[in-house]
Amino acid sequence: MKKIVILISGRGSNMEALIAARDAGDLPVNIAAVISNRVEAEGLETAARSGIVTHFVNHKAFPGREAFDARLADCIDQFEPDLVVLAGFMRILSEGFVRHYGGRLINIHPSLLPAFPGLHTHQRALEEGVRIHGCTVHFVTPELDHGPVIIQAAVPVLDGDDEASLAARVLRQEHQIYPRAVRWFLEGKLHLENGRVRLDESLADSAVLVSPEIR
Ligand code: GAR
């Protein structure tokens, strides 16, 4: 069975969605380890409760980004994963780290990239007054939040929304699309061509944009 390692920094609800998909039989995968750069990440406990090996690599214990990333890569590589899954891992990764995992490192971001890279995406969407917001799963490249897009889910921005209500609407969709993207990768259905993702012919085009009803 294919192996993944999941990196988190906090709550770990996307990680939980992956565990739930695995447990439901929708995602045949060996979640070999969950690694956090923060010891207080709630997701570490959730993972341990599910019987998954957990590790903590403290970024504050290293003199710089490269040194931390090298230790993190050592920790990941002992599990020999087919795919490394960033699930709320709130660290900028060095170019060397990203290149080491070229084509097998994916991330979920809470906006419709290339709109709103970086932090505070929901607040910025509200301030801009956009009517559509959402989330993106993409391959990671050295440029922050800019890699080839695998799948996106769009949600409406409603007049009564605040940051919390919009974030919750988006998060529900994150939990839908991330397990799907991981499954496609592990099934070999994602082909990287000229910096873009081409889906296997067995996947219908409509599957890459999730556009739920307004609620
Ligand atoms: C998620 O909304 C994820 O998209 C976001 O952090 C949250 C983590 O939640 N990631 C980023 O902003 C990365 N740039 P979770 O820990 O409950 O999965």
Side-chain angles (χ1 to χ4, degrees), residues 7-17 42-43 86-91 107-111 116-122 134-136 138 144-145 167 170-171 174-175 178:
L7 305 191
I8 63 169
S9 294
R11 179 178 55 185
S13 72
N14 276 290
M15 173 205 74
E16 272 188 81
E42 304 92 306
L86 306 181
F89 187 66
M90 304 307 277
R91 294 275 312 168
N107 180 47
I108 189 156
H109 182 77
S111 77
F116 310 122
L119 298 174
H120 311 299
T121 55
H122 309 304
C135 49
T136 304
H138 65 98
L144 183 68
D145 297 333
V170 171
L171 192 66
E174 294 188 39
H175 298 163
Y178 217 3

Short mmCIF file of all heavy atoms in Angstrom, two decimals, residues 7-17 42-43 86-91 107-111 116-122 134-136 138 144-145 167 170-171 174-175 178, ligand 1:
data_model
loop_
_atom_site.label_atom_id
_atom_site.label_comp_id
_atom_site.label_asym_id
_atom_site.label_seq_id
_atom_site.Cartn_x
_atom_site.Cartn_y
_atom_site.Cartn_z
N LEU A 7 2.14 16.59 7.35
CA LEU A 7 2.75 17.62 8.19
C LEU A 7 1.66 18.60 8.64
O LEU A 7 0.88 19.09 7.83
CB LEU A 7 3.83 18.41 7.42
CG LEU A 7 4.97 17.62 6.77
CD1 LEU A 7 6.06 18.58 6.30
CD2 LEU A 7 5.57 16.60 7.72
N ILE A 8 1.66 18.88 9.94
CA ILE A 8 0.66 19.80 10.50
C ILE A 8 1.35 20.80 11.43
O ILE A 8 2.50 20.61 11.83
CB ILE A 8 -0.43 19.04 11.32
CG1 ILE A 8 0.21 18.31 12.52
CG2 ILE A 8 -1.18 18.05 10.46
CD1 ILE A 8 -0.80 17.78 13.52
N SER A 9 0.60 21.86 11.76
CA SER A 9 1.09 22.81 12.77
C SER A 9 0.06 23.06 13.87
O SER A 9 0.38 23.72 14.85
CB SER A 9 1.45 24.15 12.13
OG SER A 9 2.53 24.03 11.25
N GLY A 10 -1.18 22.59 13.67
CA GLY A 10 -2.21 22.98 14.64
C GLY A 10 -3.34 21.98 14.77
O GLY A 10 -3.11 20.79 15.02
N ARG A 11 -4.55 22.48 14.54
CA ARG A 11 -5.78 21.74 14.77
C ARG A 11 -5.82 20.37 14.08
O ARG A 11 -6.26 19.38 14.65
CB ARG A 11 -6.91 22.64 14.26
CG ARG A 11 -8.29 22.13 14.36
CD ARG A 11 -9.23 23.21 13.85
NE ARG A 11 -8.88 23.65 12.48
CZ ARG A 11 -9.48 24.63 11.84
NH1 ARG A 11 -10.47 25.30 12.42
NH2 ARG A 11 -9.11 24.96 10.62
N GLY A 12 -5.42 20.35 12.83
CA GLY A 12 -5.34 19.06 12.13
C GLY A 12 -6.66 18.53 11.60
O GLY A 12 -6.82 17.33 11.43
N SER A 13 -7.61 19.43 11.29
CA SER A 13 -8.90 18.92 10.80
C SER A 13 -8.77 18.34 9.39
O SER A 13 -9.48 17.39 9.04
CB SER A 13 -9.98 19.99 10.86
OG SER A 13 -9.78 20.98 9.88
N ASN A 14 -7.89 18.88 8.57
CA ASN A 14 -7.68 18.26 7.25
C ASN A 14 -7.03 16.89 7.38
O ASN A 14 -7.37 15.96 6.65
CB ASN A 14 -6.84 19.19 6.36
CG ASN A 14 -7.71 20.23 5.68
OD1 ASN A 14 -8.50 19.91 4.79
ND2 ASN A 14 -7.59 21.48 6.13
N MET A 15 -6.11 16.78 8.31
CA MET A 15 -5.51 15.47 8.60
C MET A 15 -6.61 14.49 9.03
O MET A 15 -6.63 13.34 8.58
CB MET A 15 -4.48 15.63 9.72
CG MET A 15 -3.89 14.34 10.24
SD MET A 15 -3.30 14.53 11.93
CE MET A 15 -4.85 14.58 12.85
N GLU A 16 -7.52 14.96 9.89
CA GLU A 16 -8.62 14.11 10.34
C GLU A 16 -9.49 13.66 9.18
O GLU A 16 -9.97 12.51 9.16
CB GLU A 16 -9.50 14.88 11.33
CG GLU A 16 -9.06 14.79 12.76
CD GLU A 16 -10.10 15.42 13.68
OE1 GLU A 16 -11.09 14.75 14.00
OE2 GLU A 16 -9.91 16.60 14.06
N ALA A 17 -9.69 14.57 8.21
CA ALA A 17 -10.51 14.20 7.04
C ALA A 17 -9.82 13.08 6.26
O ALA A 17 -10.48 12.18 5.72
CB ALA A 17 -10.74 15.42 6.16
N GLU A 42 -2.87 20.41 18.28
CA GLU A 42 -3.92 19.49 18.72
C GLU A 42 -3.96 18.23 17.85
O GLU A 42 -4.30 17.14 18.31
CB GLU A 42 -5.30 20.16 18.64
CG GLU A 42 -5.43 21.46 19.43
CD GLU A 42 -5.10 22.68 18.57
OE1 GLU A 42 -4.00 22.70 17.95
OE2 GLU A 42 -5.91 23.60 18.51
N GLY A 43 -3.61 18.40 16.59
CA GLY A 43 -3.66 17.27 15.65
C GLY A 43 -2.75 16.11 16.03
O GLY A 43 -3.00 14.97 15.65
N LEU A 86 0.96 18.43 3.10
CA LEU A 86 0.94 19.56 4.03
C LEU A 86 -0.52 19.86 4.38
O LEU A 86 -1.33 20.15 3.50
CB LEU A 86 1.58 20.80 3.39
CG LEU A 86 3.00 20.63 2.82
CD1 LEU A 86 3.49 21.96 2.24
CD2 LEU A 86 3.96 20.14 3.89
N ALA A 87 -0.84 19.78 5.66
CA ALA A 87 -2.23 19.97 6.08
C ALA A 87 -2.25 21.00 7.22
O ALA A 87 -2.25 20.66 8.39
CB ALA A 87 -2.82 18.64 6.54
N GLY A 88 -2.20 22.28 6.81
CA GLY A 88 -2.11 23.33 7.81
C GLY A 88 -0.72 23.40 8.41
O GLY A 88 -0.57 23.69 9.60
N PHE A 89 0.29 23.13 7.58
CA PHE A 89 1.68 23.23 8.04
C PHE A 89 2.14 24.66 7.76
O PHE A 89 2.32 25.05 6.61
CB PHE A 89 2.56 22.22 7.30
CG PHE A 89 3.96 22.14 7.83
CD1 PHE A 89 4.21 21.66 9.10
CD2 PHE A 89 5.04 22.52 7.05
CE1 PHE A 89 5.50 21.58 9.60
CE2 PHE A 89 6.34 22.44 7.52
CZ PHE A 89 6.56 21.96 8.81
N MET A 90 2.28 25.44 8.84
CA MET A 90 2.43 26.88 8.67
C MET A 90 3.88 27.33 8.69
O MET A 90 4.29 28.18 9.49
CB MET A 90 1.61 27.61 9.76
CG MET A 90 0.15 27.22 9.77
SD MET A 90 -0.69 27.37 8.18
CE MET A 90 -1.08 29.12 8.20
N ARG A 91 4.67 26.74 7.80
CA ARG A 91 6.08 27.13 7.66
C ARG A 91 6.37 27.38 6.20
O ARG A 91 5.90 26.63 5.33
CB ARG A 91 7.00 25.98 8.13
CG ARG A 91 6.92 25.66 9.59
CD ARG A 91 7.81 26.52 10.42
NE ARG A 91 9.16 26.63 9.92
CZ ARG A 91 10.05 27.51 10.36
NH1 ARG A 91 9.72 28.37 11.31
NH2 ARG A 91 11.27 27.55 9.84
N ASN A 107 -0.17 20.61 -1.02
CA ASN A 107 -0.62 21.51 0.03
C ASN A 107 -2.09 21.85 -0.19
O ASN A 107 -2.58 21.82 -1.32
CB ASN A 107 0.21 22.81 -0.04
CG ASN A 107 -0.19 23.82 1.03
OD1 ASN A 107 -0.35 23.47 2.20
ND2 ASN A 107 -0.37 25.07 0.63
N ILE A 108 -2.78 22.19 0.90
CA ILE A 108 -4.12 22.76 0.76
C ILE A 108 -4.07 24.19 1.25
O ILE A 108 -3.46 24.50 2.28
CB ILE A 108 -5.20 21.93 1.49
CG1 ILE A 108 -6.59 22.46 1.11
CG2 ILE A 108 -4.99 21.90 3.00
CD1 ILE A 108 -7.70 21.44 1.27
N HIS A 109 -4.70 25.08 0.47
CA HIS A 109 -4.66 26.51 0.79
C HIS A 109 -6.10 27.05 0.80
O HIS A 109 -6.88 26.73 -0.10
CB HIS A 109 -3.82 27.26 -0.24
CG HIS A 109 -3.70 28.72 0.07
ND1 HIS A 109 -2.85 29.19 1.07
CD2 HIS A 109 -4.33 29.79 -0.43
CE1 HIS A 109 -2.98 30.51 1.14
NE2 HIS A 109 -3.86 30.90 0.25
N PRO A 110 -6.42 27.89 1.80
CA PRO A 110 -7.81 28.33 1.94
C PRO A 110 -8.16 29.54 1.08
O PRO A 110 -8.62 30.58 1.58
CB PRO A 110 -7.92 28.65 3.44
CG PRO A 110 -6.54 29.06 3.83
CD PRO A 110 -5.60 28.29 2.96
N SER A 111 -7.94 29.44 -0.23
CA SER A 111 -8.44 30.45 -1.18
C SER A 111 -8.41 29.81 -2.56
O SER A 111 -7.84 28.73 -2.75
CB SER A 111 -7.57 31.70 -1.20
OG SER A 111 -6.37 31.48 -1.92
N PHE A 116 -5.34 35.52 -3.31
CA PHE A 116 -5.08 35.46 -1.87
C PHE A 116 -4.08 34.39 -1.44
O PHE A 116 -4.41 33.50 -0.64
CB PHE A 116 -6.39 35.26 -1.10
CG PHE A 116 -7.47 36.23 -1.48
CD1 PHE A 116 -8.69 35.78 -1.96
CD2 PHE A 116 -7.25 37.59 -1.39
CE1 PHE A 116 -9.69 36.68 -2.33
CE2 PHE A 116 -8.24 38.50 -1.76
CZ PHE A 116 -9.46 38.03 -2.22
N PRO A 117 -2.86 34.41 -1.97
CA PRO A 117 -1.81 33.58 -1.35
C PRO A 117 -1.50 34.14 0.04
O PRO A 117 -1.90 35.27 0.36
CB PRO A 117 -0.62 33.77 -2.30
CG PRO A 117 -0.85 35.08 -2.96
CD PRO A 117 -2.35 35.27 -3.04
N GLY A 118 -0.79 33.38 0.85
CA GLY A 118 -0.39 33.89 2.17
C GLY A 118 -1.46 33.71 3.23
O GLY A 118 -2.28 32.81 3.14
N LEU A 119 -1.44 34.61 4.20
CA LEU A 119 -2.28 34.46 5.40
C LEU A 119 -3.57 35.27 5.31
O LEU A 119 -3.74 36.09 4.41
CB LEU A 119 -1.48 34.90 6.64
CG LEU A 119 -0.21 34.09 6.93
CD1 LEU A 119 0.57 34.73 8.09
CD2 LEU A 119 -0.54 32.64 7.26
N HIS A 120 -4.47 35.04 6.27
CA HIS A 120 -5.71 35.82 6.45
C HIS A 120 -6.55 35.85 5.18
O HIS A 120 -7.10 36.89 4.81
CB HIS A 120 -5.36 37.24 6.91
CG HIS A 120 -4.40 37.28 8.05
ND1 HIS A 120 -4.68 36.71 9.28
CD2 HIS A 120 -3.13 37.76 8.14
CE1 HIS A 120 -3.64 36.86 10.08
NE2 HIS A 120 -2.69 37.49 9.42
N THR A 121 -6.65 34.72 4.52
CA THR A 121 -7.32 34.68 3.21
C THR A 121 -8.80 35.05 3.30
O THR A 121 -9.33 35.71 2.41
CB THR A 121 -7.18 33.28 2.60
OG1 THR A 121 -7.67 32.32 3.54
CG2 THR A 121 -5.72 32.97 2.28
N HIS A 122 -9.47 34.60 4.37
CA HIS A 122 -10.92 34.84 4.45
C HIS A 122 -11.20 36.31 4.72
O HIS A 122 -12.10 36.90 4.11
CB HIS A 122 -11.53 33.96 5.55
CG HIS A 122 -11.14 32.52 5.41
ND1 HIS A 122 -11.39 31.80 4.26
CD2 HIS A 122 -10.48 31.67 6.24
CE1 HIS A 122 -10.91 30.56 4.40
NE2 HIS A 122 -10.35 30.47 5.60
N GLY A 134 -12.95 30.15 -1.78
CA GLY A 134 -12.85 28.69 -1.77
C GLY A 134 -11.50 28.18 -1.33
O GLY A 134 -10.81 28.83 -0.53
N CYS A 135 -11.12 27.03 -1.85
CA CYS A 135 -9.88 26.40 -1.44
C CYS A 135 -9.26 25.64 -2.61
O CYS A 135 -9.96 25.33 -3.59
CB CYS A 135 -10.11 25.47 -0.25
SG CYS A 135 -11.51 24.34 -0.47
N THR A 136 -7.98 25.39 -2.47
CA THR A 136 -7.19 24.82 -3.57
C THR A 136 -6.24 23.76 -3.02
O THR A 136 -5.57 24.01 -2.02
CB THR A 136 -6.32 25.94 -4.22
OG1 THR A 136 -7.16 27.00 -4.65
CG2 THR A 136 -5.51 25.40 -5.39
N HIS A 138 -2.83 21.93 -4.30
CA HIS A 138 -1.85 22.15 -5.37
C HIS A 138 -0.52 21.48 -5.03
O HIS A 138 -0.22 21.23 -3.86
CB HIS A 138 -1.64 23.66 -5.58
CG HIS A 138 -1.02 24.36 -4.41
ND1 HIS A 138 0.32 24.64 -4.32
CD2 HIS A 138 -1.57 24.83 -3.25
CE1 HIS A 138 0.56 25.27 -3.16
NE2 HIS A 138 -0.56 25.38 -2.50
N LEU A 144 5.84 30.55 -2.91
CA LEU A 144 4.79 30.30 -1.91
C LEU A 144 3.39 30.33 -2.53
O LEU A 144 3.03 31.29 -3.21
CB LEU A 144 4.89 31.36 -0.81
CG LEU A 144 3.92 31.21 0.37
CD1 LEU A 144 4.26 29.97 1.19
CD2 LEU A 144 3.91 32.46 1.23
N ASP A 145 2.62 29.28 -2.28
CA ASP A 145 1.21 29.20 -2.69
C ASP A 145 1.01 29.42 -4.19
O ASP A 145 0.05 30.08 -4.62
CB ASP A 145 0.37 30.22 -1.90
CG ASP A 145 0.37 29.93 -0.41
OD1 ASP A 145 0.53 28.76 -0.03
OD2 ASP A 145 0.22 30.88 0.38
N ALA A 167 -14.81 31.08 6.84
CA ALA A 167 -13.77 30.06 7.05
C ALA A 167 -14.41 28.68 7.23
O ALA A 167 -13.91 27.68 6.69
CB ALA A 167 -12.93 30.41 8.28
N VAL A 170 -15.63 27.32 3.88
CA VAL A 170 -14.49 26.86 3.07
C VAL A 170 -13.93 25.55 3.64
O VAL A 170 -13.63 24.60 2.89
CB VAL A 170 -13.39 27.94 3.01
CG1 VAL A 170 -12.12 27.39 2.36
CG2 VAL A 170 -13.89 29.17 2.24
N LEU A 171 -13.82 25.49 4.96
CA LEU A 171 -13.20 24.31 5.59
C LEU A 171 -13.98 23.04 5.28
O LEU A 171 -13.39 21.97 5.06
CB LEU A 171 -13.07 24.52 7.11
CG LEU A 171 -12.19 23.50 7.84
CD1 LEU A 171 -10.73 23.62 7.41
CD2 LEU A 171 -12.29 23.70 9.37
N GLU A 174 -12.69 22.00 2.11
CA GLU A 174 -11.32 21.47 2.22
C GLU A 174 -11.36 19.98 2.55
O GLU A 174 -10.62 19.17 1.98
CB GLU A 174 -10.53 22.23 3.30
CG GLU A 174 -10.29 23.69 2.97
CD GLU A 174 -9.35 24.36 3.98
OE1 GLU A 174 -8.38 23.72 4.42
OE2 GLU A 174 -9.60 25.54 4.33
N HIS A 175 -12.25 19.65 3.48
CA HIS A 175 -12.33 18.26 3.93
C HIS A 175 -12.86 17.34 2.84
O HIS A 175 -12.65 16.13 2.90
CB HIS A 175 -13.21 18.17 5.18
CG HIS A 175 -12.66 18.94 6.34
ND1 HIS A 175 -13.39 19.29 7.44
CD2 HIS A 175 -11.41 19.46 6.54
CE1 HIS A 175 -12.62 19.98 8.29
NE2 HIS A 175 -11.42 20.09 7.77
N TYR A 178 -9.50 17.40 -0.20
CA TYR A 178 -8.13 16.92 0.06
C TYR A 178 -8.02 15.39 -0.06
O TYR A 178 -7.13 14.89 -0.74
CB TYR A 178 -7.61 17.42 1.41
CG TYR A 178 -6.13 17.77 1.39
CD1 TYR A 178 -5.39 17.69 0.21
CD2 TYR A 178 -5.47 18.19 2.53
CE1 TYR A 178 -4.04 18.02 0.18
CE2 TYR A 178 -4.12 18.53 2.51
CZ TYR A 178 -3.41 18.43 1.34
OH TYR A 178 -2.07 18.76 1.30
C1 GAR B 1 -6.69 25.09 6.75
O1 GAR B 1 -7.70 26.01 6.49
C2 GAR B 1 -5.65 25.11 5.66
O2 GAR B 1 -6.19 25.34 4.38
C3 GAR B 1 -4.80 26.27 6.08
O3 GAR B 1 -4.69 26.15 7.47
C4 GAR B 1 -5.87 25.53 7.97
C5 GAR B 1 -5.43 24.34 8.79
O4 GAR B 1 -6.53 23.76 9.43
N1 GAR B 1 -3.52 26.25 5.45
C6 GAR B 1 -2.86 27.33 5.11
O5 GAR B 1 -3.25 28.46 5.32
C7 GAR B 1 -1.53 27.08 4.41
N2 GAR B 1 -1.10 28.23 3.71
P1 GAR B 1 -6.45 22.31 10.00
O6 GAR B 1 -5.20 22.24 10.88
O7 GAR B 1 -7.70 22.14 10.80
O8 GAR B 1 -6.37 21.35 8.85
#
